[in-house]
Amino acid sequence: MFGKVGYADVTLEENPEHYEIRLVAKTTGTAATLTGDRVETYISKGHRKAGKYIPDSFVKIKKTSQKERIQTYLFDHQSKTITLTEEISKSVSGTTFDPIAFKLVKSATKERSTSTSTLQTYNEDDVLSAYLNTKQSCNAQQKEHRLLAVGAHNDKKDITLSFLDGLQKRKAEASFSDDTGNIYKLHVRPIDKEDENIDVLIAFDNDGHLKEAMLGDVFWIGEIKARRVYHQLSSK
């Protein structure tokens, strides 16, 4: 119904000790109009240990034509605490009276606020490091993994990642193009028990990175698909 609703650019820079992954997602077409040209940016920086990606900071930026929210999470894995700094700026429209021109004049100002707090719960992953750690956390030996990650909204929803193999994988492969690697099911349990569960099928390429994803029939919208259209590897 909406055609292409957006695209995302993902950049991963890493060496044996450190990593930085950045995702920038932009809406396009009708979706951009409905969401006020929404752009979301996610940045995870951290270190690597025994092949695992461990975040030191995670930044989430949501920006529209009227509002911008920047959330910065700092991880202290030793004390198992996460500090959140949130910055919000928004455009506020107002009307003033110009006594010289003797007319009402519209004006726009920026309102800004900043707050800092410590999260009540500690998670060792953010949503991007959790993606990078998928092969370690969910595989043929450990087929079910509860996704606990900053940015995954687990304070409100129960999210489970399942590794598919055998008949389950063969059925799922029919939804994707040829030559896929591992296939996972991302299962989101709704807040309202009367609502239907939400399942997203995710196919990785044989290079270990996301290739395609599919969300089933969504009321009023239809089927939603994501597909990797470009991938380049380089090394220094």
Side-chain angles (χ1 to χ4, degrees):
M1 180 176 179
F2 289 99
K4 182 185 290 186
V5 297
Y7 61 92
D9 290 323
V10 182
T11 304
L12 171 62
E13 296 182 5
E14 62 179 334
N15 58 43
E17 290 82 31
H18 301 94
Y19 80 93
E20 176 179 336
I21 182 171
R22 177 186 299 261
L23 182 151
V24 181
K26 299 180 179 180
T27 52
T28 187
T30 304
T33 302
L34 294 174
T35 60
D37 295 319
R38 182 167 178 150
V39 179
E40 296 190 13
T41 303
Y42 300 83
I43 306 165
S44 176
K45 296 181 182 180
H47 57 282
R48 300 183 64 188
K49 186 176 181 180
K52 188 173 182 180
Y53 297 83
I54 303 172
D56 296 319
S57 67
F58 176 65
V59 179
K60 180 166 63 172
I61 305 170
K62 292 186 178 181
K63 186 176 182 180
T64 68
S65 55
Q66 298 295 319
K67 185 177 180 180
E68 182 180 47
R69 182 173 67 174
I70 303 174
Q71 295 173 299
T72 302
Y73 299 84
L74 298 179
F75 293 77
D76 187 334
H77 297 286
Q78 187 171 357
S79 64
K80 296 188 182 300
T81 58
I82 301 173
T83 303
L84 166 63
T85 299
E86 187 170 57
E87 304 169 76
I88 298 176
S89 61
K90 58 182 178 180
S91 297
V92 179
S93 299
T95 303
T96 58
F97 179 73
D98 186 341
I100 298 176
F102 203 74
K103 65 177 182 180
L104 295 174
V105 179
K106 292 184 178 181
S107 61
T109 58
K110 285 280 188 180
E111 287 188 355
R112 292 181 172 86
S113 64
T114 302
S115 62
T116 300
S117 61
T118 300
L119 300 190
Q120 294 182 347
T121 58
Y122 163 79
N123 293 320
E124 63 179 8
D125 271 318
D126 60 54
V127 69
L128 291 181
S129 66
Y131 159 67
L132 294 174
N133 290 324
T134 297
K135 289 188 292 183
Q136 281 199 355
S137 60
C138 193
N139 48 51
Q141 289 72 43
Q142 184 176 326
K143 296 183 180 181
E144 298 288 331
H145 173 68
R146 189 181 178 204
L147 184 60
L148 297 170
V150 171
H153 303 293
N154 271 70
D155 55 335
K156 297 180 181 179
K157 297 179 181 178
D158 188 7
I159 304 175
T160 305
L161 190 66
S162 301
F163 179 87
L164 302 186
D165 59 3
L167 181 59
Q168 283 186 319
K169 183 180 181 182
R170 289 194 292 274
K171 286 183 177 179
E173 284 174 334
S175 301
F176 300 112
S177 57
D178 295 335
D179 300 324
T180 58
N182 292 340
I183 297 180
Y184 300 87
K185 182 176 72 172
L186 190 66
H187 175 80
V188 182
R189 187 175 300 168
I191 299 174
D192 189 339
K193 295 181 179 180
E194 294 182 359
D195 291 342
E196 293 184 2
N197 293 330
I198 301 172
D199 289 331
V200 182
L201 288 177
I202 303 171
F204 277 57
D205 209 338
N206 290 310
D207 57 22
H209 292 286
L210 181 66
K211 181 182 181 182
E212 297 174 73
M214 186 186 72
L215 176 61
D217 231 1
V218 179
F219 176 70
W220 192 65
I221 294 176
E223 193 174 72
I224 299 175
K225 289 185 176 181
R227 180 170 61 92
R228 192 180 75 195
V229 295
Y230 177 75
H231 187 203
Q232 180 179 359
L233 291 175
S234 61
S235 60
K236 295 181 180 180

